[in-house]
């Protein structure tokens, strides 16, 4: 008696609630694991599926029979074998009938059995009709041949097979999913020919590795034409451990510049994908898509058309984005958990599954052969009795007519057994004509030959293997088909960044003297005409596109990056840029830069040092910025100069003393950060005392003119005039004409 059970004075057993609950939960857990959620390695079926298939075979609903109402089948299943809800049994039956859910359906349905868009949209069981498919014979054909273990049904009035004698590894072919207590299973479907080929290879080479088997079974094979893009090494690792994941991707093609999606990943709803894409379009996250159409029909079950806004849209990049953000690409968990031939659940590798199944199949074939051998030997025994009766027919008839108990008399007279005597007595007069010696001997010879063959096969492991191999090939020949899910290699899907999804609209970014920033649509904006806060005014602006960030240079030489697409409108007065970045205390903003990532700018300090920088090198996600321009002692940052072309470009530098120097841009280095090289020769002491410094730098081409602004006067220096100011980098330059030596600004005029 268990320690947890006590018997009181009245003889009543008392169990503590803790032990009772623990035992009840463990019992329930084992029931769910073994009798509901997990498939058996032998036939690949869960109990409810096995009972449905068996009940349908008992109703005579084979592939050649007429359809019968599904309610009839469900009634038999829950009334005789599976005491659960009718809806649960019917749903399991529906799943086995859906060719988009099962790779090799077991039920042939007539009526509405759901659709790939909505697998749960099937009609009620009172409307649909069903019968078994031809493939189900692979599970049932050997059932009555002594191959199955029979167990009592739930009420002990009938018997049902514990496992069906499957002729192929169905556990891999149709796969299954299930959630038990503390464990789950996710077995993907596979191709029959590939699995049979691997099983035969393992039969011939018992020590074969998973790597060798993966040459036959490279990947699962779903009932959809979507691509499997998981690399082969990950697949092999999955088959070795029994756990892993795989990815499927929709198949698409180009048609007249449009994207046409032809196949969806397994169990992905087309309408849901369309909804996901439409939501992105409504949220303006797919500006490059103009239209979306569902052209699916009976001939093309899956046909979705995505129309790009122009022929300049990169379709591969667009599909990569949709793969990353919708169910056009999907990952599937793989967990090869099943009940083994020892009756215990466990996660098994590909080699373990096939080895166990081959062991199961070998035992099944052996039992079938032994059953047949027993039948043959019984029949031969009876035929020997018939032969005796034929050779002594008159005497046999005389004994039967005259003896009160003819059986003992026949047994004693002809030295035959009880079984033989019973068979002779059971013969009808009409069958006496059949007792012709030739017929008996012909059947006898045929059965003796069969008995010898059976005995030899049962006595030889090699012959048994050959028979199993031959039968596997026959099933593969009859029911095998080509792979449906192609294997492909695909780059990892990448969603568009926020900037990539933005339209490239022209924008003018304006910065005020007090550091207030805003963005105006278009390039024809007059920044001076905008309204500013009292005591504030225009300082600088930059032209670019809304999908390009603006790079800000502060008075300490640090660079900051701010997205331009979400800047406040120029209709208002903007917002302090310090709300978006964290510059050092007291720093002012001296430069704005916009353009493509490979755009070049000349960064310089008024100490006369500078270098060429690529805009991408100045960008940063850090709100505190990144060091860009190193300032000599006492120096200040100059407004960066945009470089439109490096070829034939010149640097123009003007000092506060009215000197100007021109030298080739190629004389300056391209750096990511630093002080740079000397542009204009100004002594550092004069810079520190602010006696002499560089006022401005510009980059111009051979054909550009330079406008010098001094008060209200303007001097335009054309290419010929500029020759006078050319010199070596680092010189002090030549004096500008009288009246223009106090320079306010210099502006480039583009010519030609």
């Amino acid at each position: 008696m268990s320690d947890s059970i006590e018997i009181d004075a009245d003889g009543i057993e008392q169990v503590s609630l803790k032990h009772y609950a623990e035992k009840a939960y463990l019992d329930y857990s084992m029931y769910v694991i073994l009798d509901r959620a997990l498939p058996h390695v032998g036939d690949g079926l869960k109990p409810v599926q096995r009972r449905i298939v068996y009940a349908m075979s008992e109703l005579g609903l084979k592939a050649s029979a007429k359809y019968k109402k599904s309610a009839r089948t469900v009634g038999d299943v829950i009334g005789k074998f599976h005491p659960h809800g009718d809806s649960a049994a019917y749903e399991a039956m529906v799943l086995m009938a859906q060719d988009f859910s099962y790779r090799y359906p077991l039920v042939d349905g007539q009526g509405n059995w759901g659709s790939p868009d909505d697998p749960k949209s099937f009609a009620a069981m009172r409307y649909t009709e069903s019968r078994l498919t031809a493939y189900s014979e692979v599970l049932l054909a050997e059932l009555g041949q002594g191959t199955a273990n029979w167990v009592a049904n739930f009420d002990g009035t009938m018997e049902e097979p514990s496992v069906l004698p499957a002729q192929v590894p169905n556990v891999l072919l149709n796969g299954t999913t299930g959630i038990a207590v503390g464990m789950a299973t996710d077995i993907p479907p596979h191709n029959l020919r590939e699995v049979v080929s691997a099983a035969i290879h393992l039969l011939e080479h018992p020590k074969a590795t998973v790597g060798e088997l993966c040459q036959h079974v490279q990947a699962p094979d779903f009932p959809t034409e979507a691509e499997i893009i998981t690399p082969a090494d990950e697949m092999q690792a999955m088959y070795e451990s029994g756990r892993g994941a795989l990815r499927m991707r929709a198949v698409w093609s180009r048609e007249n510049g449009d994207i046409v999606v032809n196949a969806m990943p397994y169990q992905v709803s087309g309408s849901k994908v369309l909804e996901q894409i439409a939501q992105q379009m409504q949220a303006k996250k797919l500006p490059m898509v103009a239209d979306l159409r569902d052209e699916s029909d009976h001939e093309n079950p899956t046909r979705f058309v995505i129309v790009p806004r122009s022929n300049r849209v990169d379709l591969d990049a667009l599909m990569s984005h949709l793969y990353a953000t919708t169910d056009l690409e999907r990952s599937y968990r793989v967990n090869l958990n099943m009940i083994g031939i020892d009756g215990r659940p466990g996660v098994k590798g590909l080699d373990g599954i096939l080895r166990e199944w081959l062991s199961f199949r070998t035992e099944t074939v052996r039992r079938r052969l032994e059953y047949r051998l027993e039948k043959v030997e019984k029949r031969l025994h009876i035929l020997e009795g018939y032969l005796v009766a034929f050779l002594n027919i008159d005497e046999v008839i005389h004994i039967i007519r005259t003896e009160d108990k003819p059986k003992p008399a026949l047994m004693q007279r002809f030295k035959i057994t009880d079984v033989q005597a019973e068979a002779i007595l059971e013969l009808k007069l009409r069958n006496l004509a059949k007792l012709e010696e030739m017929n008996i001997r012909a059947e006898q010879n045929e059965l003796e030959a069969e008995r010898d063959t059976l005995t030899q096969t049962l006595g030889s492991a090699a012959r048994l293997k050959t028979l199993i191999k031959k039968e596997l090939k026959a099933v593969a020949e009859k029911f095998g088909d080509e792979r449906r899910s192609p294997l492909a290699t695909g780059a990892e899907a990448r969603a568009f960044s926020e900037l990539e999804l933005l339209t490239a609209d022209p924008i003018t970014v304006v910065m005020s003297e007090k550091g207030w920033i805003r963005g105006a649509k278009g390039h024809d904006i007059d920044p001076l005409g905008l309204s500013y806060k009292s005591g504030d005014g225009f300082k600088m602006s930059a032209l670019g596109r809304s999908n390009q960030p603006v790079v800000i240079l502060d008075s300490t030489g640090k660079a900051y990056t701010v997205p331009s697409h979400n800047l406040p409108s120029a209709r208002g007065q903007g917002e302090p840029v310090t709300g978006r970045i964290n510059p050092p205390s007291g720093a002012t903003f001296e430069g704005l830069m916009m353009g493509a990532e490979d755009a070049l700018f000349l960064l310089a300090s008024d100490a006369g040092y500078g270098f060429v920088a690529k805009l991408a090198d100045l960008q940063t996600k850090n709100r505190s910025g990144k060091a860009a321009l190193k300032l000599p002692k006492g120096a200040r940052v100059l407004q960066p100069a945009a470089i439109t072309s490096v070829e034939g470009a010149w640097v123009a530098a003007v000092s506060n003393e009215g000197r100007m120097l021109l030298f080739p841009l190629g004389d300056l280095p391209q750096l990511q950060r630093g002080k740079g090289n000397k542009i204009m020769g100004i002594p550092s002491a004069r810079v520190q005392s602010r006696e002499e410094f560089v006022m401005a730098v510009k980059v111009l081409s051979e054909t550009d003119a330079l406008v010098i602004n001094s008060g209200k006067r303007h001097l335009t220096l054309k290419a010929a005039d500029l020759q006078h100011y050319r010199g070596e980098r680092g010189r002090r330059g030549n004096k500008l004409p009288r009246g223009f030596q106090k320079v306010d600004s210099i502006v480039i005029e583009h010519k030609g």
Side-chain angles (χ1 to χ4, degrees):
M1 182 84 51
S2 171
D3 294 338
S4 61
I5 299 176
E6 298 176 0
I7 300 176
D8 63 10
D10 298 326
I12 297 172
E13 290 182 359
Q14 292 188 334
V15 185
S16 72
L17 184 61
K18 174 182 178 294
H19 287 97
Y20 176 79
E22 192 176 285
K23 183 179 183 304
Y25 186 70
L26 283 173
D27 289 349
Y28 168 73
S29 302
M30 290 310 297
Y31 163 73
V32 171
I33 290 167
L34 299 177
D35 208 37
R36 186 187 292 181
L38 301 189
H40 193 282
V41 70
D43 58 10
L45 300 177
K46 299 179 189 179
V48 65
Q49 296 168 330
R50 187 179 301 118
R51 287 161 177 166
I52 289 167
V53 171
Y54 176 62
M56 289 181 80
S57 72
E58 287 295 285
L59 283 169
L61 295 177
K62 298 201 172 175
S64 55
K66 286 183 179 179
Y67 292 96
K68 274 188 181 172
K69 285 287 183 188
S70 302
R72 172 77 188 275
T73 300
V74 172
D76 264 33
V77 170
I78 64 175
K80 294 179 179 178
F81 309 112
H82 198 71
H84 293 269
D86 57 350
S87 58
Y90 183 49
E91 274 198 40
M93 183 178 171
V94 167
L95 197 69
M96 293 193 287
Q98 292 175 338
D99 57 5
F100 50 85
S101 296
Y102 259 45
R103 184 66 179 79
Y104 300 96
L106 296 170
V107 176
D108 177 11
Q110 189 169 261
N112 176 13
W113 290 81
S115 66
D117 253 1
D118 187 4
K120 301 274 188 182
S121 63
F122 50 84
M125 60 185 171
R126 62 181 177 276
Y127 299 118
T128 59
E129 296 180 336
S130 55
R131 65 185 179 190
L132 290 168
T133 59
Y135 173 77
S136 65
E137 281 299 300
V138 170
L139 304 175
L140 294 164
E142 298 174 358
L143 192 56
Q145 300 176 26
T147 50
N149 292 326
W150 295 82
V151 293
N153 70 338
F154 65 90
D155 62 359
T157 57
M158 306 177 74
E159 286 194 326
E160 60 177 312
S162 59
V163 181
L164 296 179
Q167 294 172 289
V168 286
N170 187 60
V171 70
L172 286 173
L173 301 182
N174 275 322
T176 192
T177 60
I179 299 172
V181 176
M183 61 177 67
T185 183
D186 289 281
I187 306 171
H190 290 76
N191 185 275
L192 193 151
R193 287 180 184 168
E194 293 178 5
V195 171
V196 164
S197 176
I200 290 172
H201 180 81
L202 190 60
L203 204 57
E204 293 171 341
H205 307 89
K207 293 184 179 178
T209 62
V210 172
E212 291 170 31
L213 296 177
C214 282
Q215 293 176 7
H216 301 270
V217 180
Q218 295 178 37
D221 185 25
F222 295 87
T224 171
E225 291 170 8
E227 296 173 337
I228 295 174
I229 58 167
T230 305
D233 56 338
E234 288 183 28
M235 281 292 181
Q236 186 171 324
M238 177 193 83
Y239 282 128
E240 282 172 350
S241 66
R243 285 193 176 94
L246 60 92
R247 284 184 297 148
M248 287 194 87
R249 184 175 279 182
V251 174
W252 66 281
S253 59
R254 288 177 171 86
E255 269 187 34
N256 304 319
D258 297 342
I259 293 170
V260 178
V261 179
N262 305 306
M264 286 286 175
Y266 180 57
Q267 290 182 333
V268 166
S269 163
S271 58
K272 185 183 176 187
V273 169
L274 287 172
E275 190 181 323
Q276 289 172 336
I277 299 173
Q279 282 174 353
Q280 289 193 42
M281 290 172 70
Q282 286 168 3
K284 295 186 178 178
K285 292 186 176 178
L286 279 179
M288 66 289 293
V289 175
D291 193 18
L292 180 66
R293 296 195 305 270
D294 181 2
E295 296 183 357
S296 306
D297 54 27
H298 187 68
E299 288 182 14
N300 302 291
T302 303
R303 183 181 168 85
F304 305 132
V305 182
I306 301 168
V307 182
R309 197 165 288 283
S310 74
N311 56 10
R312 294 189 302 276
V313 174
D314 185 342
L315 300 188
D316 291 305
L318 172 56
M319 285 306 293
S320 180
H321 168 78
L322 292 176
Y323 286 145
T325 57
T326 70
D327 284 346
L328 285 174
E329 180 178 314
R330 190 166 170 185
S331 289
Y332 299 86
R333 186 178 63 179
V334 176
N335 182 17
L336 306 180
N337 190 7
M338 61 196 72
I339 298 169
I341 51 176
D342 60 357
R344 294 182 177 183
V347 177
K348 306 176 191 300
L350 179 63
D351 55 338
I353 293 170
L354 290 177
R355 278 196 178 91
E356 283 204 33
W357 184 83
L358 285 171
S359 168
F360 166 81
R361 181 64 189 156
T362 304
E363 180 59 26
T364 301
V365 172
R366 182 181 295 281
R367 288 176 67 169
R368 189 189 79 212
L369 296 180
E370 287 172 347
Y371 179 83
R372 178 59 187 164
L373 181 61
E374 188 181 340
K375 289 273 185 187
V376 166
E377 285 176 339
K378 280 184 180 178
R379 181 62 181 167
L380 281 171
H381 185 61
I382 288 170
L383 287 176
E384 285 174 13
Y386 282 168
L387 204 55
V388 169
F390 172 76
L391 295 172
N392 304 279
I393 190 68
D394 293 332
E395 193 174 349
V396 167
I397 291 171
H398 176 73
I399 290 171
I400 291 170
R401 288 182 67 187
T402 57
E403 292 288 338
D404 289 336
K405 294 183 180 177
K407 188 197 281 191
L410 288 171
M411 290 169 64
Q412 187 179 354
R413 169 68 185 84
F414 300 111
K415 301 293 187 283
I416 58 177
T417 64
D418 185 279
V419 174
Q420 290 170 325
E422 189 64 38
I424 292 167
L425 291 171
E426 293 261 331
L427 272 174
K428 295 179 182 177
L429 288 172
R430 72 171 80 170
N431 293 333
L432 287 176
K434 290 184 180 178
L435 285 177
E436 295 169 353
E437 187 177 3
M438 283 183 67
N439 285 349
I440 295 170
R441 292 200 184 277
E443 187 182 351
Q444 205 170 28
N445 292 338
E446 190 180 321
L447 290 174
E448 281 174 350
E450 186 181 352
R451 179 186 62 191
D452 294 343
T453 304
L454 289 168
T455 307
Q456 287 174 348
T457 305
L458 285 165
S460 165
R463 281 175 178 267
L464 200 59
K465 273 188 184 180
T466 305
L467 177 63
I468 293 168
K469 197 193 312 178
K470 182 181 172 185
E471 289 176 352
L472 278 169
K473 284 180 178 175
V475 174
E477 185 67 33
K478 186 174 181 181
F479 297 106
D481 55 6
E482 294 299 320
R483 167 174 279 278
R484 285 194 207 167
S485 302
L487 304 177
T489 52
E492 189 169 345
R494 187 183 75 86
F496 288 133
S497 66
E498 190 178 1
L499 285 176
E500 289 173 306
L501 290 171
L502 294 172
T503 52
D505 298 323
I507 187 172
T508 303
V509 176
V510 180
M511 175 85 80
S512 75
E513 293 171 353
K514 297 279 181 73
W516 284 59
I517 194 167
R518 52 187 143 169
K521 288 183 179 177
H523 286 169
D524 54 352
I525 306 298
D526 177 15
L528 292 167
L530 298 175
S531 72
Y532 294 88
K533 285 187 174 291
S534 178
D536 199 2
F538 169 72
K539 182 168 186 178
M540 54 191 169
S541 64
L543 304 180
R545 298 277 172 180
S546 56
N547 62 345
Q548 295 170 342
V550 57
V551 175
I552 303 169
L553 194 66
D554 77 1
S555 56
T556 68
K558 277 189 169 186
Y560 308 85
T561 306
V562 173
S564 62
H565 69 277
N566 58 4
L567 288 176
S569 168
R571 291 193 187 96
Q573 292 170 333
E575 65 178 35
V577 74
T578 48
R580 296 173 179 243
I581 57 176
N582 299 326
S585 177
T588 57
F589 303 106
E590 305 299 331
L592 284 183
M593 292 169 277
M594 284 189 82
E597 288 196 339
D598 58 354
L600 299 176
F601 286 83
L602 172 57
L603 301 190
S605 64
D606 67 0
Y609 287 88
F611 62 92
V612 175
K614 191 190 290 185
L615 194 59
D617 293 334
L618 301 176
Q619 292 180 17
T620 176
K621 291 181 179 178
N622 191 342
R623 284 174 59 98
S624 298
K626 68 186 290 188
L629 181 64
K630 186 177 179 183
L631 297 173
K633 191 174 180 182
R636 297 174 185 173
V637 173
L638 293 177
Q639 173 98 19
I643 300 170
T644 51
S645 173
V646 177
E647 199 69 36
W650 293 79
V651 176
V654 178
S655 73
N656 66 323
E657 288 201 338
R659 290 180 178 275
M660 185 165 77
L661 174 68
L662 260 76
F663 63 88
L665 177 67
D667 290 355
L668 286 178
Q670 182 174 325
L671 305 173
Q672 291 185 352
R673 61 180 176 273
K675 182 171 81 170
N677 288 8
K678 183 166 278 198
I679 294 174
M680 213 169 187
I682 300 174
S684 58
R686 289 179 66 81
V687 173
Q688 290 174 34
S689 64
R690 305 308 292 170
E691 291 177 59
E692 190 178 351
F693 50 86
V694 176
M695 282 201 59
V697 290
K698 294 288 180 185
V699 178
L700 62 160
S701 70
E702 292 276 6
T703 58
D704 289 342
L706 202 62
V707 180
I708 309 294
N709 297 314
S710 178
K712 292 183 179 180
R713 303 174 69 190
H714 313 289
L715 173 66
T716 301
L717 299 174
K718 296 182 180 177
D721 304 323
L722 292 170
Q723 291 280 354
H724 173 66
Y725 300 99
R726 292 187 180 181
E728 291 181 15
R729 178 182 62 77
R731 301 286 184 181
R732 292 186 73 183
N734 291 331
K735 280 275 188 180
L736 288 164
R738 278 184 187 279
F740 292 96
Q741 291 176 1
K742 191 176 180 185
V743 180
D744 292 325
S745 65
I746 56 175
V747 180
I748 296 170
E749 269 189 7
H750 296 291
K751 305 286 185 183

